[in-house]
Structure formats: C-alpha cells, structure tokens
Amino acid sequence: MAEHLRVALAGCGGLGRAHARNVEAMEGVRLVAVCDAVRESAVQLAAQLESGPKPYADHRAMLAAEKPDAVLVVTPNHTHARISTDAALAGAHVFCEKPMALTVRDCDTMIRAAEQSGVFLMVGYVRRFQAAYMEMKRRVDRGDIGEITLAHAVRLGAGAPGGVGGWQTRKEQYGGMFSMYSHELDQLAWLAGEIRAVNAVMKFGEDPANEIEESIFIGIEFASGAIGALSSSRVYPVNSYELGVAGTGGALKLEEPGGPITFARHGKKSAAIEAPGNNGLADEIAHFAGCIQRGEAPRSDGRDGRRVVAVAMAAHESARAGTRVEVPMMA
C-alpha cells in the first residue's frame, strides 16, 4: 500500500460532504476523488477540499482511473449494491452507508464480491461508534444486567420523506422506512443478539405519490429466547426516542442519542450514567481506515448490514401477510 491510504467518495450530498471533511482531517489518508451523478456537486465539493480530489460523474470511470484503496459509498439507497460491488471487484475496500441495500439478495452479492476480492466491507452504523451506545454495549457484555430478556426501540417523528427529486418517496429507490430505523434494528441485534422472527403491522398514508409506509410496529423474537419491539413513524407529531434493554439483573435505557443512560438493578434506585461526547461519524471512518491499515475486520461488517435488511424485509412480509415471519439467515 502507498504511503497514504487513497480514498474515493461516491455521493456528494450532505452526509458525503461530512465524510469527506473527516477524511481530510485524518493522518495517513488522502481523498483522491469524489463522484456524484450530478457532476456539478462533485466539482463543487472538490473545489472546497484542500486535498484537491478529482471530480467524477461516473463511479466506474473513477475506479478505473484512480484505482483507490478504499471507497466510501454515500449515495441513494438503490445504488449502494451496484457501486459497492463494482468497487469491491475493482479491489477497493468498501464503506457503505446504511441501509446496506434494498434486498437481501443484493446484500449477499455485495458480501460475495468483497470476499472474492479479499477486501473489507463495512456498513455505516454510526451508533456503534457513539459513546453512549458503546457504554451500553460494554455494560451488557460485562453482564451488568444479567441475561437479556427484553429489548426495545422507539423512533417517532422524523417528518415526511423527501430527498432530491423526491427519491425517498419511491419504494424502488428508498426501500422503506427501514432506511430511517435501521440504526435501531442494528442496535437491538448488537445488544440482544440475532433476531429469529418478527410479527409486524404497518400503515401507509393517503398520498398516492408516497410509496413508503408512514408507520411500522415490529414485534421481535431473538434467537436467545428474549423478546422485543421496534416502533417507528414519520408522522408522529412529537419526536420520541428510546432504546432499552433489560435482563435478569436490571435494565439500561437511553432517551437521547447522546445520553445520559439510565441504569437500574431490580429493586434498586436507578442511576444516570454520563458518557463523554464524541464525533461518531469521524470515529467510524477512522475505524474503517485503521482496519485497512492494520488488516483487522471492521466492527460493523456486511453480515451486520445484511441482518438489518433481512429483518426489515421479513417485517414487510409479516405486515402484508398478517402472520409471523422467520428471518432468513446467511449460510
């Protein structure tokens, strides 16, 4: 590998620009190219960055010309699989924003491409790099609340979908509300283990131009025997958030992404745990680069991304059929 890790960016929207600036601030890493289907967006971003990355409008042209060590995929959901697979088969390590893809089949294709090429595939579950969530995970793994019996998440009130050209209202481009609540699904599995089956209900709105559900409630069965639930809605008029996990010895609850964490043992008074603030977006990209440099597997890989998509697809099937649906596992 060259003296610097050569990174390219696909997707120059708001999140892509944030990732680009975080890369710019890292030692031993250089942003060599930026790409966007709207070429002017790539040109504008390139002009704002000190490293002077070359702008492109086509990711395949970028891969062929620049041969980057790694690619950050921060594009609309329906393009993740194609760009990530092309990058992996070109020999580049891949960081793909959530959700990993819109179908389990596409997730499997991405995973196989990375394995075939011997490159890392990381999915951007930034909660795993934010201090409060990391502290919850540490305490669960340490056994502070005993054997997990229950885990739940609530994310309500994000507002109507939009995106450039309204792409977030189209099922074939956005997929569904799991684009929003995939962080919560990932956290539930991260804290409580594999999800075995779901039983869901969902509701659509009255706007025929919006193909995405407005609300979904998912009942969850974990492989361990624990149970759980996820509630998510775009139209709930008051923002509401909660992540909780309970066990035989107590419980942990987070009501704001930054904390504090409420910790209580059964029969004892609860206590507030403060977690130091950090820049999760910067830390996850630093982790990705460090994994490549050290040859270590990333904290959130393709199988983690696939799990979330598989659970969301099972939830959609359950809501349509009105029955319990098992989650397909990867062999």
Side-chain angles (χ1 to χ4, degrees), residues 11-15 17 36-39 41 74-78 160-170 172-174:
C12 299
L15 186 54
R17 292 194 295 272
D36 197 281
V38 179
R39 190 176 189 280
S41 294
V74 199
T75 54
N77 301 346
H78 67 292
V164 177
W167 71 272
Q168 293 176 356
T169 65
R170 294 190 283 275
E172 75 278 5
Q173 295 185 357
Y174 193 63

Side-chain angles (χ1 to χ4, degrees), residues 10-331:
C12 299
L15 186 54
R17 292 194 295 272
H19 283 317
R21 291 189 173 90
N22 286 331
V23 170
E24 288 264 290
M26 292 169 56
E27 295 287 339
V29 181
R30 183 183 172 201
L31 188 65
V32 297
V34 294
C35 175
D36 197 281
V38 179
R39 190 176 189 280
E40 185 58 30
S41 294
V43 170
Q44 289 177 354
L45 178 58
Q48 295 168 5
L49 299 172
E50 292 183 6
S51 58
K54 187 171 179 180
Y56 290 86
D58 180 82
H59 73 278
R60 288 174 178 155
M62 178 181 73
L63 292 169
E66 302 295 337
K67 296 179 172 54
D69 299 312
V71 175
L72 311 182
V73 180
V74 199
T75 54
N77 301 346
H78 67 292
T79 67
H80 287 182
R82 181 176 72 253
I83 298 172
S84 297
T85 299
D86 287 344
L89 293 178
H93 300 279
V94 177
F95 172 91
C96 179
E97 266 299 341
K98 62 83 189 169
M100 180 176 173
L102 298 188
T103 68
V104 174
R105 178 179 294 181
D106 279 347
C107 292
D108 289 342
T109 298
M110 294 163 68
I111 291 168
R112 285 195 298 269
E115 291 177 345
Q116 176 183 328
S117 298
V119 297
F120 291 133
L121 169 59
M122 178 174 167
V123 180
Y125 284 113
V126 68
R127 301 291 196 218
R128 296 192 181 206
F129 298 88
Q130 292 173 322
Y133 299 91
M134 293 169 65
E135 180 63 15
M136 285 185 74
K137 174 66 170 172
R138 186 181 73 84
R139 287 176 175 268
V140 166
D141 289 350
R142 194 172 67 181
D144 285 11
I145 60 172
E147 181 181 345
I148 302 301
T149 58
L150 173 71
H152 78 282
V154 175
R155 185 172 182 177
L156 305 173
V164 177
W167 71 272
Q168 293 176 356
T169 65
R170 294 190 283 275
K171 185 175 177 61
E172 75 278 5
Q173 295 185 357
Y174 193 63
M177 267 182 41
F178 64 89
S179 180
M180 181 178 81
Y181 66 72
S182 60
H183 282 304
E184 283 64 49
L185 275 184
D186 180 65
Q187 281 297 300
L188 291 173
W190 197 43
L191 292 169
E194 289 293 340
I195 296 173
R196 178 174 59 200
V198 296
N199 205 321
V201 292
M202 65 182 181
K203 184 172 177 56
F204 289 83
E206 297 180 357
D207 182 0
N210 181 12
E211 302 169 353
I212 305 304
E213 72 273 18
E214 287 186 342
S215 306
I216 188 166
F217 287 7
I218 307 172
I220 295 171
E221 299 173 26
F222 294 94
S224 66
I227 61 172
L230 183 144
S231 305
S232 188
S233 176
R234 282 188 173 275
V235 297
Y236 196 74
V238 180
N239 288 344
S240 179
Y241 178 88
E242 186 171 314
L243 175 69
V245 58
T248 54
L252 294 158
K253 183 176 72 171
L254 192 61
E255 294 180 282
E256 293 286 346
I261 302 163
T262 300
F263 172 51
R265 297 188 186 278
H266 294 307
K268 302 253 179 106
K269 186 177 179 181
S270 64
I273 301 167
E274 298 287 347
N278 71 312
N279 185 336
L281 284 176
D283 288 351
E284 72 173 345
I285 297 301
H287 173 79
F288 174 61
C291 286
I292 297 169
Q293 292 163 335
R294 297 186 300 270
E296 298 175 0
R299 190 181 301 171
S300 53
D301 62 16
R303 280 170 169 75
D304 295 313
R306 180 195 188 276
R307 178 194 298 115
V308 168
V309 175
V311 173
M313 293 299 97
H316 278 220
E317 181 182 347
S318 172
R320 286 192 299 267
T323 187
R324 173 184 180 274
V325 173
E326 293 194 358
V327 178
M329 300 297 170
M330 187 170 188

